[in-house]
């Protein structure tokens, strides 16, 4: 478009006026706000954590719908409703969802958005879907996006080749996943020079460092290692990096003895061995440990001796998912629990030897011999572990087993899921709780490297199926009385390999599994708490009203030692005050290997229905100053394990409580166990022991079972209750 000039002045004048007008117009434009830039939507869902209401096959998991592979798919059970959801890792502006249906598609479904994975709003609804590839325009801000199928189009379930969410992130810079494993992780391969020298150096540092700050993880790549004797001290974990224990073989030993403590192994705590095969030099490997020292996923091609050289005292212990070709000799071990394993034989026992799902275990004979044997473990899921897939680090997350017997790895490839290290935030010393929580909010799992971590706020695990795995006894200390670790009422969280150390300011709780009032059903995908140990005092003053609270239904507590210190630094009746050890409010909670000791009041309280405990070990608080200090109304003392009167169904196997009131040996305890007398409340193989006559029990459970007496340290037992 053109126009004629309004006057006939010189061309130069007309040009100048035009330039001035253009400049003025440009200046005015500069003052007008520009429309906001709009980022092009990108694919946010690929490779992100995905969960589903069900899956039809082991290979048709939720993750297959977000892996970017058009040849893999998620498929559900053949019922309505079913859902598939993806965690984007951070809040995002969601603009479209692409569904690539297999032949089994949804006739009616909803696309739903959520900021927390719990509260959902509908962004799209249809009842006339025709399957195929569908692109759905949506609008909203969300971290979680879900397809909720309400009516199937076929007799089959719901099946998606791909579930793709497009949009733009609304949060700030993202934390990276993966990376190196930090300074206190030592990685070896068979060609590494001076392996024995490096192992000996770590042992010199850690042999007697019971309350030191050193933390070490020793990792061995697949292969064969000869002439090895790995002596394992405090806060030291040794592991193979194969997918099977037999991938990493020692022609040698992994040894724990008690020379540092004059042959007494009762303080050989906080160390572990996992995922290795051993050909012991003498034919028998020595593993003389007490609490918090798991022996997991091990193959001993010979015997296993659980006593120190000289057969001094020992107070262990725990074996799981292991195969011992020869005989296990506990000798001086006071108690032991073995789960889902295979043994060539078992020679003896002192007070309380418990087996569940163990091939070759001795038959029940409690109290003489002191064996309690369950043919299978009702529900179990092995601990996640780090391994190498070629040159790439991954974490294997074993599948749930029901009615388990024997190892999970002896018959072909283990069942479970592999997660690349890039999906983990690798936590290193110096990391703050805020950073750790940011990583969790992004959808990353956590891998704590060996170290001591102070937190000024709770670490909050809010996403289903999050893995929180510690290496080398990574230790979390809550500052200013906060709770160290909180888990939401979601499916399938795995907490493993952590030590939580109470701070000097009293914490109401240290670990919470589910919030108060949690009620969701997690039977298909329970949260597991494995090798999570809690300490109050010993390394310095510490206080906590209740150490661990389990509110979520179906939780599995698989090997924990919750300990109010009776030695070290910062301990005393009020100095490391801790009234309650473990409190269970959730229903259908299972504890396999429950060690809880020395609390000022109840060590374990159980309020949930249908709870089960397989093996319990307890010592009452040594340091009670007098009878009045432990008086519980008209009852003398607080039971070690109390089932609330409101509970109708509960069962336990192989439970023992010991007293050693050395400050005032005249103290008497009414009973070790307290439970309502109801048909559904049952116990098997209960014992109480007075250690050398320092205090006495009047009964075993309620008013059942004879008293302990004298200094003979002979248990009083009840074989079955009621």
């Amino acid at each position: 478009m053109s126009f004629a000039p309004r006057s006939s002045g010189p061309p130069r004048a007309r040009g100048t006026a035009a330039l001035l007008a253009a400049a003025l117009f440009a200046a005015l434009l500069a003052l007008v706000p520009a429309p906001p830039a709009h980022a092009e939507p990108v694919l946010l869902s690929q490779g992100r954590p995905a969960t589903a209401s069900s899956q039809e096959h082991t290979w048709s998991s939720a993750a297959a719908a977000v892996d970017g592979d058009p040849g893999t798919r998620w498929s559900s059970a053949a019922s309505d409703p079913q859902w598939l959801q993806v965690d984007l890792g951070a809040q995002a502006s969601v603009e479209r969802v692409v569904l690539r249906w297999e032949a089994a598609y949804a006739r009616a479904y909803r696309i739903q958005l959520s900021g927390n994975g719990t509260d959902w709003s509908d962004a799209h609804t249809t009842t006339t879907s025709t399957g195929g590839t569908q692109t759905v325009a949506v609008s909203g801000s969300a971290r979680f996006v879900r397809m909720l199928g309400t009516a199937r189009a076929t007799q089959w379930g719901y099946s998606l080749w791909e579930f793709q969410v497009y949009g733009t992130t609304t949060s700030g810079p993202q934390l990276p996943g993966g990376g190196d494993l930090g300074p206190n992780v030592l990685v070896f391969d068979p060609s590494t020079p001076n392996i024995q020298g490096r192992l000996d150096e770590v042992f010199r540092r850690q042999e007697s460092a019971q309350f030191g700050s050193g933390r070490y993880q020793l990792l061995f790549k697949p292969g064969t290692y000869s002439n090895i004797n790995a002596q394992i001290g405090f806060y030291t974990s040794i592991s193979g990096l194969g997918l099977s224990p037999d991938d990493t073989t020692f022609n040698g030993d992994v040894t724990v003895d008690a020379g540092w403590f004059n042959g007494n192994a009762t303080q050989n705590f906080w160390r572990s061995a996992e995922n290795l095969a051993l050909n012991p030099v003498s034919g028998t490997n020595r593993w003389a440990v007490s609490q918090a020292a798991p022996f997991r996923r091990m193959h001993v091609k010979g015997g296993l001796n659980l006593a120190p050289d000289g057969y001094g005292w020992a107070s262990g212990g725990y074996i799981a998912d292991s195969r011992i070709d020869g005989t296990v000799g506990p000798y001086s071990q006071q108690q032991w629990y073995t789960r889902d394993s295979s043994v060539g034989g078992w020679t003896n026992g002192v007070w309380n030897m418990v087996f569940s799902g163990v091939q070759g275990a001795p038959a029940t004979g409690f109290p003489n011999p002191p064996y309690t044997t369950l043919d299978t473990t009702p529900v179990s899921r092995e601990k996640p572990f780090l391994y190498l897939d070629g040159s790439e680090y991954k974490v294997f997350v074993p599948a749930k087993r029901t009615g388990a017997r024997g190892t999970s790895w002896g018959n072909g490839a283990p069942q479970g899921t592999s997660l690349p290290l890039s999906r983990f935030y690798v936590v290193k010393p110096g990391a703050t709780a805020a950073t750790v929580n940011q990583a969790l909010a992004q959808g990353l799992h956590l891998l704590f490297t060996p170290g001591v971590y102070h937190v000024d706020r709770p670490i909050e695990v809010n996403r289903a199926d999050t893995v929180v795995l510690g290496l080398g006894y990574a230790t979390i200390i809550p500052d200013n009385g906060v709770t160290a670790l909180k888990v939401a009422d979601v499916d399938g969280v795995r907490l493993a390999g952590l030590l939580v150390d109470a701070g000097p300011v009293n914490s109401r709780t240290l670990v919470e599994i589910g919030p108060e009032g949690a009620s969701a059903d997690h039977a298909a995908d329970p949260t597991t708490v494995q090798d999570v140990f809690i300490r109050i005092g010993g390394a310095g003053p510490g206080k906590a009203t209740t150490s661990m609270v389990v509110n979520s239904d179906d939780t599995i507590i698989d090997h924990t030692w919750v300990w109010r210190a009776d030695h070290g630094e910062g301990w005393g009746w009020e100095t490391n005050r801790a009234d309650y050890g473990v409190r269970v409010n959730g229903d259908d909670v299972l504890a396999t290997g429950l060690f809880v000791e020395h609390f000022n009041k109840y060590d374990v309280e159980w309020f949930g229905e249908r709870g089960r405990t397989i093996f319990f070990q307890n010592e009452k608080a040594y340091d009670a100053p007098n009878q009045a200090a432990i008086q519980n109304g008209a009852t003398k003392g607080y039971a070690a394990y109390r089932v609330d009167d409101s509970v109708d169904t509960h069962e336990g196997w192989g439970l023992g409580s010991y007293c050693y009131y050395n400050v005032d040996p005249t103290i008497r305890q009414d009973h070790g166990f307290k439970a309502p007398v109801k048909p559904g409340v049952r116990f098997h193989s209960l014992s109480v022991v007075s250690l050398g006559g320092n205090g006495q029990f009047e009964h075993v459970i309620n008013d059942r079972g004879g008293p302990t007496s004298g200094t003979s340290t002979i248990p009083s037992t009840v074989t079955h209750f009621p």
Side-chain angles (χ1 to χ4, degrees):
M1 183 176 181
S2 62
F3 58 91
R6 294 179 61 186
S7 63
S8 59
R12 183 180 179 90
R14 289 199 301 270
T16 301
L19 289 172
L20 289 173
L24 180 59
F25 184 64
L28 290 173
L29 282 178
L31 298 176
V32 178
H38 181 73
E40 186 66 23
V42 296
L43 179 59
L44 301 174
S45 54
Q46 188 161 307
R48 301 303 309 170
T51 53
S53 53
S54 66
Q55 67 183 63
E56 182 183 12
H57 308 289
T58 57
W59 47 263
S60 61
S61 67
V66 294
D67 61 2
D69 184 346
T72 62
R73 63 186 174 92
W74 163 71
S75 61
S76 77
S79 62
D80 296 314
Q82 300 288 339
W83 53 262
L84 169 77
Q85 74 181 50
V86 62
D87 179 357
L88 304 178
Q91 202 75 4
S93 177
V94 179
E95 298 188 30
R96 69 174 181 267
V97 175
V98 178
L99 305 99
R100 303 185 190 277
W101 293 102
E102 196 248 355
Y105 66 95
R107 178 170 52 81
Y109 66 87
R110 301 173 185 174
I111 299 299
Q112 297 182 310
L113 308 180
S114 173
N116 56 16
T118 302
D119 304 308
W120 298 91
S121 61
D122 291 342
H124 174 80
T125 300
T126 182
T127 59
T128 58
S129 167
T130 56
T133 298
Q134 299 177 328
T135 299
V136 177
V138 296
S139 179
S141 178
R143 172 175 165 173
F144 300 86
V145 182
R146 177 165 78 171
M147 186 287 299
L148 174 64
T150 56
R152 290 165 291 137
T154 71
Q155 62 180 318
W156 312 110
Y158 299 85
S159 184
L160 280 165
W161 294 110
E162 285 295 302
F163 182 64
Q164 298 176 318
V165 179
Y166 288 82
T168 56
T169 57
T170 57
S171 61
Q174 302 287 286
L175 293 170
D180 70 88
L181 299 177
N184 293 328
V185 176
L186 282 65
V187 182
F188 303 91
D189 65 46
S191 66
T192 300
N194 194 28
I195 294 175
Q196 188 63 54
R198 295 179 70 185
L199 294 176
D200 290 344
E201 174 58 28
V202 172
F203 182 63
R204 278 192 292 271
R205 296 176 190 173
Q206 300 303 114
E207 180 183 11
S208 58
Q210 183 173 176
F211 297 109
S213 59
R215 303 286 188 272
Y216 292 93
Q217 177 72 55
L218 312 175
L219 296 175
F220 286 79
K221 294 181 180 180
T224 299
Y225 300 77
S226 296
N227 303 314
I228 293 291
N229 181 20
Q231 300 182 83
I232 306 300
F234 285 100
Y235 313 110
T236 304
S237 298
I238 187 169
S239 307
L241 284 170
L243 194 56
S244 164
D246 289 330
D247 292 340
T248 310
T249 298
F250 282 10
N251 292 319
D253 297 74
V254 173
T255 302
V256 176
D257 207 345
W260 75 278
F261 201 46
N262 300 315
N264 180 342
T266 58
Q267 293 182 24
N268 279 352
F269 312 137
W270 304 308
R271 62 199 76 197
S272 67
E274 299 184 45
N275 206 31
L276 293 165
L278 309 178
N279 286 305
V281 170
S282 69
T284 300
N285 189 76
R286 186 185 301 278
W287 185 255
V289 299
S290 288
Q291 288 82 10
F295 196 79
R296 285 185 182 270
R297 202 177 176 80
M298 296 287 287
H299 184 189
V300 181
K301 300 178 181 181
L304 186 64
N305 184 345
L306 302 178
D309 186 27
Y311 303 100
W313 294 340
S315 182
Y318 177 90
I319 294 171
D321 202 27
S322 295
R323 176 180 170 183
I324 294 91
D325 294 343
T327 298
V328 180
Y331 303 110
S332 55
Q333 284 287 356
Q334 296 166 353
Q335 68 279 314
W336 200 275
Y337 175 52
T338 307
R339 178 183 64 71
D340 298 354
S341 295
S342 172
V343 299
W346 193 277
T347 55
N348 76 309
V350 178
W351 294 331
N352 187 28
M353 302 281 141
V354 180
F355 311 84
S356 69
V358 178
Q359 297 166 336
T364 295
F366 187 88
N368 187 24
Y371 300 146
T372 303
T373 301
L374 287 73
D375 190 57
T376 62
T377 304
V379 185
S380 60
R381 181 162 51 198
E382 300 307 328
K383 178 183 173 184
F385 62 91
L386 190 69
Y387 78 103
L388 276 173
D389 183 2
S391 60
E392 182 184 3
Y393 283 108
K394 293 183 178 180
V395 172
F396 190 77
V397 185
K400 187 185 76 168
R401 304 169 76 195
T402 56
R405 180 172 173 81
T407 67
S408 68
W409 50 267
N411 297 307
Q415 298 298 304
T417 303
S418 288
L419 301 172
L421 192 63
S422 60
R423 295 272 299 278
F424 285 77
Y425 179 65
V426 180
V427 190
K428 297 172 186 173
T432 65
T435 301
V436 171
N437 284 334
Q438 180 187 346
L440 289 168
Q442 285 179 209
L444 293 170
H445 305 279
L446 300 178
L447 182 71
F448 278 88
T449 65
V452 177
Y453 301 86
H454 284 264
V455 297
D456 60 358
R457 67 196 72 177
I459 295 171
E460 299 194 63
V461 183
N462 296 320
R463 177 172 50 85
D465 296 311
T466 300
V467 176
V468 180
L469 176 61
L471 301 179
Y473 285 82
T475 301
I476 301 171
I477 302 176
D479 293 333
N480 304 318
V482 302
T483 297
L485 189 60
K486 291 185 176 182
V487 178
D489 193 25
V490 295
D491 280 353
V493 172
R494 278 80 155 178
L495 302 182
L498 297 168
L499 173 60
V500 177
D501 211 348
V505 178
N506 185 73
S507 293
R508 185 179 68 89
T509 59
L510 292 173
V511 176
E512 294 182 11
I513 309 300
E516 292 182 16
S519 60
D521 183 356
H522 306 294
D525 188 13
T527 285
T528 52
V529 181
Q530 299 178 287
D531 299 348
V532 173
F533 308 118
I534 296 176
R535 179 172 67 191
I536 301 95
K543 294 185 178 182
T545 304
T546 306
S547 291
M548 181 186 294
V549 179
V550 180
N551 292 315
S552 287
D553 294 349
D554 308 294
T555 300
I556 300 172
I557 307 169
D558 179 45
H559 190 223
T560 186
W561 185 38
V562 182
W563 184 63
R564 176 181 167 268
D566 64 317
H567 63 274
E569 296 183 3
W571 70 281
W573 187 248
E574 295 296 341
T575 303
N576 63 332
R577 182 85 194 187
D579 284 350
Y580 308 104
V582 175
R583 178 171 290 165
V584 179
N585 297 316
D587 294 337
D588 301 293
V589 172
L590 171 66
T592 52
L594 185 61
F595 299 73
V596 188
E597 295 187 308
H598 304 153
F599 285 84
N600 295 75
K601 293 184 178 179
Y602 292 114
D603 297 274
V604 172
E605 289 188 287
W606 212 293
F607 296 89
E609 285 290 353
R610 298 175 299 282
R612 292 174 290 183
T613 294
I614 305 173
F615 182 87
F616 170 70
Q617 186 267 331
N618 167 262
E619 290 178 353
K620 294 303 300 174
Y622 291 178
D623 54 343
N626 48 50
Q627 186 75 47
I630 65 162
Q631 195 67 18
N632 181 14
T635 302
K636 288 177 282 188
Y638 290 82
Y641 188 111
R642 181 180 83 88
V643 179
D644 192 70
D645 288 343
S646 64
V647 173
D648 293 323
T649 305
H650 189 92
E651 194 160 10
W653 296 262
L655 284 70
S657 177
Y658 321 140
C659 72
Y660 184 68
Y661 289 116
N662 62 328
V663 175
D664 182 358
T666 68
I667 291 175
R668 302 191 73 84
Q669 177 98 15
D670 267 349
H671 41 238
F673 304 92
K674 177 73 169 64
V677 181
K678 297 179 181 179
V681 178
R682 298 173 300 204
F683 287 94
H684 317 274
S685 305
L686 297 172
S687 60
V688 295
V689 180
S690 169
L691 302 179
N694 289 274
Q696 302 290 344
F697 287 97
E698 303 280 7
H699 303 283
V700 179
I701 181 168
N702 297 356
D703 58 359
R704 290 273 308 279
T708 57
S709 61
T711 60
S712 58
T713 314
I714 295 175
S716 179
T717 63
V718 167
T719 305
H720 297 289
F721 173 89

